[in-house]
Amino acid sequence: MSLYRIAPPPTPQQAAASEPLRRFLQVARSAGLRVSASEGIDAARAVDLIGFGDRTVLKDTLGLILAKTPDEKVVYDETFDLYFQRNELASQEESRQEQSTGEPSQTSTPPAGAASPTDFDETDADQGPSLSELLEKNDSVALATAMEVSARESSIQEIRYFTQKNRFVRQILERMGLRDVEREIIELRNGDHGEEGVARARMLDERLERLWDNTRDFVERALLLYARGEQEQFRERMLKQARLMNLDPRDLARMRVLVRQIAKRLATRYSRKRRRKQRGQLDVRRTMRRNMGWGGIPFLTIWKQKQIDKPRIMVLCDVSNSVAWVSEFLLMLIYALNEVLSDLRAFAYTGSLVEVSDILEKNTIDEAVKRIMSTVGFGSSNYGNAFADFEDGWMDAVTNKTTVIILGDARGNGNDPRTDIVSRMSQRAKRIVWLNPEFRSSWGTGDSDMYRYAPYCNLVRVCASLNDLERVITDLLEVDA
């Protein structure tokens, strides 16, 4: 007899009850929340206990499960409020009646926190009254329910662009019975129905117009919900591909988030490869000795450990006007990887070179970059003088385990490039990597000395976007992994 019981499949009623939560989790993931499968199961169990009745309790409960950081809490609040914003038909009609009569409305408005139309079974729409009857009764809850069901049948979750709004509005209303109502209004106006028919046609026309407005609002909210994730992904792809020097200041906050995400991803990948390579080969002698109690059968394996040094990096960043933005993001990315780098020293230069490692270590990266730029940055480049400062003060620290990364456009404004210093640096270092934010077509033009430095570098790359930075750092970590 089996010790495990296979859970029976959910009934149609259980599936219908879980559908609102499933769609909300889909929307939350699109908005940027990291919702794992186990968290989705926890959310479903919580909803089974508390239900959808009290929106405040539901929001607080799901928030404890789904939102892990302050930033995610903000996204969660916005997504929840937008997704569960319902019953606007009832509230708007109530306010109109109060303004016109001075008395509270008698429409069937559900109390605050009541179940939303998403919680109803979709078969209700096929068995209910017609749209004309709902408009005549001014049944706001039933209208909202029919709108939700029609929206699902119209695949509202597939809306992605604002140009689709009118099409979805029309589809939803037609599924609710728009054409029958329009024919009835025309018949009442043109037929022999007297004043009563004209009054009924006017009433239906007014309420149908309000229904149009409410359906537009509903579709606009759906656009914000379902298109948000793809819009964010598209925006991130564009920001990663854009030249850093062309970024709008409004995009800098988002870029910093992307840099942290890239650094976390690279650190995780690099640490996994290091652990795999550190394991080394099987130590047969120690493994056999360890398993003597099992007749030499190797239940417990022992591996020969390899000592793999973490990469040691020196970063020389040009912080002059032409490359300041690229330098900022390179420093952010490098220092976000400090957990996988054993020794990192950073230098900034324009006319002269100074070490900025202490500034980066004692401040947050945003504050450190501001201090570096305010004290060293935005001057005129003099590469020869900067390399001379480096040789006088820090050349002895360069060893055969050091990777030197130089970021700059190699435009020294006509000064001596001092390629002899770069040559001596290449003889001491493990490798020299030069990152140039200019296109290759600009190298060697005007006061560019890039082709004079290139022979002494192990790698020369165009590095003008966040994607370029990620590729370069990935290559460096791959070599040392």
Side-chain angles (χ1 to χ4, degrees):
M1 181 177 179
S2 175
L3 298 177
Y4 299 97
R5 295 180 59 189
I6 300 176
T11 64
Q13 292 77 11
Q14 291 173 332
S18 63
E19 185 64 15
L21 177 63
R22 186 193 68 80
R23 289 197 302 274
F24 174 67
L25 295 179
Q26 175 187 353
V27 169
R29 290 188 180 100
S30 298
L33 289 179
R34 297 168 297 163
V35 181
S36 65
S38 61
E39 289 169 344
I41 294 173
D42 292 340
R45 290 173 176 170
V47 170
D48 286 341
L49 291 176
I50 64 176
F52 290 94
D54 192 322
R55 286 287 180 261
T56 302
V57 174
L58 178 65
K59 181 178 181 180
D60 293 342
T61 303
L62 293 180
L64 292 173
I65 299 172
L66 304 179
K68 280 79 72 177
T69 65
D71 292 338
E72 288 189 353
K73 182 65 175 175
V74 173
V75 175
Y76 168 78
D77 290 341
E78 294 176 354
T79 305
F80 185 95
D81 293 340
L82 193 60
Y83 181 80
F84 286 103
Q85 182 180 347
R86 297 294 190 269
N87 303 325
E88 70 283 350
L89 288 166
S91 61
Q92 292 181 11
E93 180 62 24
E94 183 177 284
S95 63
R96 289 193 185 94
Q97 290 196 16
E98 289 181 359
Q99 291 176 1
S100 60
T101 63
E103 298 179 358
S105 170
Q106 300 301 318
T107 59
S108 55
T109 305
S116 74
T118 53
D119 307 328
F120 291 91
D121 194 338
E122 295 185 9
T123 57
D124 294 345
D126 298 332
Q127 303 171 358
S130 66
L131 179 59
S132 176
E133 293 172 339
L134 293 178
L135 291 174
E136 183 177 5
K137 294 178 183 178
N138 203 19
D139 192 340
S140 303
V141 175
L143 284 170
T145 303
M147 184 188 301
E148 290 271 354
V149 174
S150 299
R152 261 176 275 157
E153 293 174 349
S154 302
S155 301
I156 189 66
Q157 68 275 8
E158 296 180 3
I159 187 170
R160 293 295 181 268
Y161 309 102
F162 72 94
T163 53
Q164 297 175 301
K165 287 195 301 182
N166 290 336
R167 177 170 67 85
F168 276 101
V169 170
R170 184 76 189 185
Q171 285 182 357
I172 291 171
L173 290 175
E174 286 183 352
R175 287 183 178 273
M176 293 175 67
L178 172 65
R179 294 186 178 182
D180 293 338
V181 176
E182 290 177 336
R183 280 195 295 267
E184 183 177 354
I185 293 174
I186 294 174
E187 183 181 346
L188 290 171
R189 285 176 175 171
N190 298 334
D192 188 14
H193 299 282
E195 292 295 331
E196 183 178 350
V198 174
R200 176 178 168 81
R202 185 183 305 112
M203 178 272 295
L204 289 176
D205 197 19
E206 291 176 354
R207 293 182 181 178
L208 184 61
E209 184 178 356
R210 288 201 294 269
L211 183 61
W212 272 95
D213 294 337
N214 288 310
T215 307
R216 290 191 189 95
D217 291 341
F218 177 86
V219 172
E220 285 180 359
R221 289 203 309 272
L223 177 64
L224 292 175
L225 280 169
Y226 295 109
R228 180 177 181 179
E230 289 203 3
Q231 290 173 351
E232 285 294 320
Q233 293 174 8
F234 175 77
R235 182 187 175 203
E236 288 182 3
R237 288 196 298 269
M238 294 301 294
L239 289 177
K240 287 182 178 180
Q241 296 172 4
R243 289 174 61 82
L244 296 174
M245 291 182 291
N246 296 333
L247 287 178
D248 191 289
R250 294 172 295 181
D251 295 325
L252 295 182
R254 186 60 185 170
M255 288 292 290
R256 292 187 178 99
V257 174
L258 294 178
V259 167
R260 288 192 290 269
Q261 291 176 352
I262 291 172
K264 183 176 180 181
R265 182 169 63 250
L266 293 179
T268 301
R269 184 191 309 165
Y270 174 75
S271 299
R272 188 184 304 119
K273 289 187 176 182
R274 285 187 71 249
R275 285 195 299 270
R276 185 167 62 248
K277 289 197 174 186
Q278 278 179 335
R279 190 176 65 177
Q281 296 179 342
L282 180 68
D283 192 328
V284 178
R285 182 178 58 83
R286 295 178 62 195
T287 299
M288 295 297 292
R289 181 182 299 173
R290 181 73 177 272
N291 292 275
M292 290 295 292
W294 292 279
I297 300 174
F299 288 108
L300 302 175
T301 56
I302 299 178
W303 301 86
K304 296 179 180 179
Q305 298 293 318
K306 288 184 178 180
Q307 183 64 35
I308 300 178
D309 294 331
K310 295 181 179 180
R312 300 176 180 179
I313 295 179
M314 284 186 166
V315 186
L316 282 63
C317 287
D318 184 353
V319 290
S320 61
N321 289 319
S322 56
V323 292
W325 287 116
V326 186
S327 301
E328 174 180 347
F329 286 107
L330 176 63
L331 289 172
M332 290 177 62
L333 182 58
I334 291 293
Y335 262 82
L337 287 167
N338 59 0
E339 63 184 53
V340 297
L341 302 175
S342 62
D343 185 17
L344 173 63
R345 301 182 70 175
F347 303 85
Y349 64 90
T350 50
S352 58
L353 182 139
V354 296
E355 184 170 5
V356 295
S357 302
D358 290 342
I359 298 177
L360 288 164
E361 290 175 0
K362 296 177 181 179
N363 299 275
T364 64
I365 188 63
D366 294 337
E367 295 173 351
V369 169
K370 289 180 181 178
R371 288 189 58 185
I372 293 171
M373 294 301 175
S374 63
T375 56
V376 187
F378 306 111
S380 297
S381 301
N382 187 331
Y383 282 79
N385 192 38
F387 290 146
D389 291 341
F390 182 81
E391 184 176 39
D392 293 340
W394 299 278
M395 183 68 87
D396 292 340
V398 179
T399 68
N400 58 359
K401 295 182 179 180
T402 304
T403 296
V404 180
I405 301 177
I406 304 174
L407 174 64
D409 56 8
R411 295 188 178 273
N413 296 302
N415 297 299
D416 184 358
R418 295 301 304 272
T419 56
D420 58 310
I421 299 178
V422 180
S423 174
R424 289 191 287 273
M425 192 187 305
S426 67
Q427 294 172 8
R428 297 177 61 93
K430 180 178 182 179
R431 72 176 71 88
I432 294 182
V433 178
W434 194 299
L435 308 180
N436 194 322
E438 290 188 341
F439 294 119
R440 286 185 179 271
S441 58
S442 300
W443 296 0
T445 63
D447 58 350
S448 174
D449 296 313
M450 190 66 250
Y451 287 124
R452 302 179 68 178
Y453 292 122
Y456 307 105
C457 301
N458 301 88
L459 179 67
V460 179
R461 286 279 186 88
V462 175
C463 187
S465 67
L466 202 55
N467 277 342
D468 295 336
L469 284 175
E470 181 178 5
R471 280 193 291 267
V472 169
I473 302 303
T474 299
D475 291 344
L476 291 178
L477 295 180
E478 290 285 347
V479 171
D480 290 292

